Amino acid sequence: TASIAELLLEAGVKRIIVAEYPALIHKGRDAFEITLTRKFVEDVGAEVVYLDESELIEVEVREAEVHRLMRIPKIVMDADLIVNVPKMKTHWLTKVTLGIKNLLGLLPSEEKLKYHREDIHQKLVDILVCFRDKLKLTIIDGIIAMEGLGPRCGDPVPMGLLIASRDVVAADAVASYIMGFDPMEIQEVRIAHKRGLGNGDLERIICK
């Protein structure tokens, strides 16, 4: 994360904020201290924000199917753009947790739990709809991936891999394929592809 922030600053971005919104009982401040993220990020000249301590605003997503009213940190909605940096992992409910699902992390715990049922895949696409204009780059971290019944149970899998795309649906499709899934088996990828929110068709994705 700090390396990405450093590259963005070198490219001329004036202000970089690295943010985290841990789930349930965890605290962003603790997560950033334990992992040394705060130190590394501040050392390169970027800022750290703990979203669980940030002001929330209510946002209506009119194109959403199930999650039409969301409470979102104001600082996220004020940002010019979002760089999404998910870890490559499997998940017990959604099969994978990649770029689309990582956007759930921008919402507070009570929003994370809403619609966490059979229509979670549509909920994830609704969140993508909310952030699609700000989401400019997704970088999936597969340097050390995780395989198992995530998010709590799993084994590390060294992959030495990064997948980057301006199209989060394409990034998730490629990562899903590498993980052994047909991208169209991943419901949020299929729904987002059919809605025209990105390209999940491997035959139309150019990998460099």
Side-chain angles (χ1 to χ4, degrees):
T1 303
S3 297
I4 294 169
E6 186 173 21
L7 288 171
L8 290 171
L9 288 166
E10 290 175 357
V13 179
K14 299 299 183 183
R15 184 187 184 195
I16 305 291
I17 296 171
V18 177
E20 176 65 78
Y21 212 140
L24 303 176
I25 63 171
H26 304 290
K27 302 295 183 183
R29 189 174 293 273
D30 294 339
F32 272 24
E33 291 298 327
I34 292 170
T35 61
L36 300 180
T37 298
R38 182 187 62 79
K39 176 184 184 303
F40 292 139
V41 166
E42 291 179 348
D43 282 351
V44 302
E47 301 174 41
V48 164
V49 166
Y50 311 112
L51 295 180
D52 50 327
E53 300 177 11
S54 299
E55 176 188 355
L56 298 174
I57 59 173
E58 201 165 69
V59 176
E60 182 181 3
V61 186
R62 295 185 179 181
E63 297 175 56
E65 295 292 333
V66 296
H67 202 14
R68 296 187 179 91
L69 200 61
M70 305 180 196
R71 295 174 67 239
I72 297 170
K74 184 176 183 296
I75 195 167
V76 174
M77 299 309 297
D78 288 345
D80 294 325
L81 62 88
I82 294 171
V83 177
N84 186 20
V85 188
K87 197 75 174 173
M88 180 186 282
K89 298 182 291 185
T90 53
H91 192 274
W92 72 274
L93 181 59
T94 57
K95 295 186 179 178
V96 300
T97 174
L98 298 167
I100 297 173
K101 188 172 184 302
N102 197 52
L103 295 174
L104 180 64
L106 293 174
L107 276 60
S109 294
E110 58 269 25
E111 296 290 318
K112 288 182 174 74
L113 294 173
K114 278 185 183 179
Y115 312 110
H116 225 65
R117 53 196 190 197
E118 289 183 0
D119 52 4
I120 184 174
H121 311 283
Q122 182 60 64
K123 168 189 172 180
L124 296 176
V125 175
D126 289 344
I127 296 169
L128 172 57
V129 169
C130 180
F131 293 115
R132 64 180 170 183
D133 293 335
K134 293 181 180 291
L135 180 60
K136 302 301 182 182
L137 181 63
T138 295
I139 304 172
I140 298 175
D141 178 1
I143 296 173
I144 305 277
M146 192 210 76
E147 184 175 37
L149 296 177
R152 297 186 182 277
C153 302
D155 298 313
V157 180
M159 297 285 288
L161 178 68
L162 291 173
I163 299 170
S165 179
R166 295 179 183 177
D167 180 346
V168 65
V169 182
D172 280 14
V174 170
S176 298
Y177 177 76
I178 290 170
M179 295 166 76
F181 298 99
D182 178 340
M184 292 302 147
E185 290 180 37
I186 309 303
Q187 292 190 47
E188 56 267 27
V189 171
R190 184 177 71 251
I191 295 168
H193 173 78
K194 288 184 175 180
R195 286 198 59 179
L197 298 171
N199 175 31
D201 182 354
L202 291 175
E203 294 186 359
R204 292 171 47 214
I205 297 172
I206 298 173
C207 298
K208 298 180 180 180

